Amino acid sequence: DAGVIQSPRHEVTEMGQEVTLRCKPISGHNSLFWYRQTMMRGLELLIYFNNNVPIDDSGMPEDRFSAKMPNASFSTLKIQPSEPRDSAVYFCASRAGQGEEETQYFGPGTRLLVL
Amino acid sequence: GNSVTQMEGPVTLSEEAFLTINCTYTATGYPSLFWYVQYPGEGLQLLLKATKADDKGSNKGFEATYRKETTSFHLEKGSVQVSDSAVYFCALRSVGGADGLTFGKGTHLIIQP
């Protein structure tokens, strides 16, 4: 299995530009999570989907952030317009089920730098 | 709300030393507990987990026991190797609550030869 795939791995952009991060979960997994990692705040859950439906987006910082999951094999996290404080590593994770013991598998992350 | 507290790093040890990384949590009910490891430039990998009180998770020589009475899940290894150098995250998933994981800030472990 290829694991969770994220692209791009690195992104450098200027303030005000739109940024789109992509994630392909592990085949057969029906839950998908987006996390953000910063030095100051550590790892934070932004949003998660079950069966392509957003369940909890309470962690999304503000309206500049949006996430979609049009099908079971693809999700995007978009920031528009981007700001320097959005600089972080963004991780996508997927999980096979909702049982108590189900494990989340993480992608390698996208390192975003907004200048 | 849920929270996880880990000892601050970096933690620097010599090869073959004994390792303990402390983790305590606050949560409603009986959460599942996890340790994840992050090697440089990579995503997080599950190291071990425990889903109920007194369970012991173990993997690659690492162990952690779910202690409900002290709300702790300390990570231990008897003899560390240089290859264990990484950042270690303690995390919980609450029962009946939000489905995502709540993470500690992470502990950077450096093993010197």
Side-chain angles (χ1 to χ4, degrees):
Chain A
D1 197 322
V4 176
I5 299 173
Q6 291 187 245
S7 65
R9 292 292 308 273
H10 302 273
E11 177 80 25
V12 180
T13 190
E14 293 186 345
M15 182 175 61
Q17 297 298 306
E18 178 180 295
V19 175
T20 300
L21 311 181
R22 298 173 176 80
C23 175
K24 177 178 170 54
I26 293 172
S27 178
H29 284 192
N30 59 7
S31 296
L32 184 140
F33 305 80
W34 282 100
Y35 291 88
R36 179 172 66 177
Q37 184 180 35
T38 61
M39 290 292 293
M40 291 299 295
R41 299 173 68 88
L43 272 157
E44 304 172 283
L45 176 68
L46 300 178
I47 186 172
Y48 77 92
F49 297 83
N50 278 344
N51 296 316
N52 313 338
V53 177
I55 302 300
D56 182 0
D57 64 354
S58 59
M60 295 286 263
E62 48 196 274
D63 292 344
R64 297 184 297 105
F65 285 70
S66 62
K68 295 182 179 179
M69 192 165 186
N71 57 62
S73 60
F74 184 65
S75 177
T76 59
L77 178 67
K78 185 176 293 186
I79 308 172
Q80 167 63 21
S82 59
E83 297 182 2
R85 61 193 168 121
D86 302 330
S87 298
V89 182
Y90 291 81
F91 288 103
C92 176
S94 70
R95 188 179 70 202
Q98 299 187 43
E100 295 308 323
E101 300 189 4
E102 292 294 344
T103 298
Q104 290 187 25
Y105 294 88
F106 283 75
T110 295
R111 187 173 297 273
L112 173 65
L113 178 61
V114 183
L115 302 173
Chain B
N2 297 334
S3 67
V4 175
T5 302
Q6 292 181 236
M7 58 191 299
E8 296 290 331
V11 174
T12 303
L13 296 172
S14 298
E15 203 165 20
E16 299 184 1
F18 184 86
L19 168 71
T20 300
I21 300 178
N22 291 338
C23 170
T24 56
Y25 67 88
T26 302
T28 54
Y30 303 99
S32 296
L33 301 173
F34 305 83
W35 276 101
Y36 278 82
V37 58
Q38 184 179 28
Y39 298 102
E42 299 184 11
L44 280 73
Q45 303 173 25
L46 179 68
L47 181 59
L48 53 83
K49 63 184 178 184
T51 58
K52 59 183 185 294
D54 300 325
D55 269 2
K56 177 185 284 187
S58 61
N59 186 26
K60 299 181 181 179
F62 291 89
E63 292 183 341
T65 301
Y66 188 142
R67 300 289 188 196
K68 177 175 174 294
E69 63 277 10
T70 55
T71 61
S72 64
F73 193 53
H74 304 323
L75 182 68
E76 296 182 335
K77 186 174 185 181
S79 177
V80 293
Q81 305 300 314
V82 173
S83 57
D84 293 327
S85 298
V87 181
Y88 291 80
F89 292 90
C90 186
L92 70 82
R93 179 188 174 201
S94 60
V95 176
D99 244 4
L101 295 172
T102 300
F103 284 91
K105 289 290 184 68
T107 302
H108 187 193
L109 175 65
I110 301 169
I111 307 300
Q112 297 177 332

